[in-house]
Amino acid sequence: MSERSALLRRIRVWVVVFVVCLVLSGLTAFPLVHELRWTQSLLAHTPVGDWLPGLSAWIDRVRDGLDRADAEYPFLLYGTDWLAFAHLVIAVAFYGVLRDPVRNVWVVEFGMIACAGIIPLALICGPVRGIPFWWSVIDMSFGVFGVIPLSVVRRKIKTLEAMGVPAGVPVTV
């Protein structure tokens, strides 16, 4: 296998891993009510709830809010459906990176900008919405952990570009 083919294969593996995580993250936004019931039950029936009482109290509060919204104002949960959809749409954009990484490096850079944007969003909107700081830190970790594979992919794409792979020509292995 040539160095170019090996590099292309590594780029694709990193992109596929990122896309799978993005899709899974998006899909979990659809069944929030059920997920919170499961999480609350897990915390109540394992020592984790005793070890992290603040987490248990927060999950109880969020579940109560979602149960009320689901029962009285189910249209509010439509917003999380759009959140899930956005994750899936962004994941589809990465198909271009799989086909032609050099030409579509902008998708990776867009993803890196989006990851960076999570931090100010969490720091500004978290307190406005009454989100505990520790939960905002969890939210910010998605940006931090998301930018890591994207940075690796971008660096590898720039290496591929330097090898003389012309932009606009689909790359095959």
Side-chain angles (χ1 to χ4, degrees):
M1 176 183 313
S2 73
E3 182 182 349
R4 181 179 164 278
S5 295
L7 181 59
L8 185 59
R9 183 163 283 133
R10 286 191 296 274
I11 289 168
R12 288 179 173 156
V13 167
W14 278 99
V15 170
V16 166
V17 168
F18 182 80
V19 166
V20 166
C21 291
L22 191 59
V23 167
L24 291 174
S25 177
L27 292 177
T28 63
F30 284 116
L32 285 180
V33 174
H34 302 292
E35 287 171 344
L36 274 172
R37 288 180 186 152
W38 176 81
T39 302
Q40 188 181 40
S41 176
L42 180 73
L43 290 172
H45 295 93
T46 65
V48 177
D50 296 330
W51 298 334
L52 301 169
L55 175 63
S56 292
W58 176 248
I59 295 298
D60 290 345
R61 182 169 185 223
V62 172
R63 179 178 172 201
D64 180 54
L66 277 177
D67 282 346
R68 287 183 187 189
D70 192 36
E72 299 174 34
Y73 310 103
F75 53 86
L76 291 175
L77 298 178
Y78 188 52
T80 61
D81 296 338
W82 279 103
L83 171 70
F85 179 71
H87 278 77
L88 300 176
V89 168
I90 293 167
V92 169
F94 281 87
Y95 176 70
V97 180
L98 293 173
R99 289 200 48 184
D100 187 346
V102 173
R103 182 170 140 192
N104 292 298
V105 69
W106 70 270
V107 175
V108 175
E109 294 166 345
F110 167 80
M112 293 170 72
I113 292 166
C115 286
I118 291 171
I119 294 170
L121 178 82
L123 290 173
I124 294 166
C125 295
V128 169
R129 302 290 185 203
I131 305 298
F133 180 72
W134 58 267
W135 194 266
S136 292
V137 170
I138 292 170
D139 290 339
M140 289 184 281
S141 74
F142 282 90
V144 172
F145 291 119
V147 81
I148 292 169
L150 293 177
S151 296
V152 170
V153 168
R154 185 181 183 282
R155 189 181 75 244
K156 290 183 181 306
I157 290 172
K158 291 301 181 180
T159 301
L160 187 65
E161 182 179 35
M163 294 171 101
V165 177
V169 178
V171 185
T172 59
V173 175

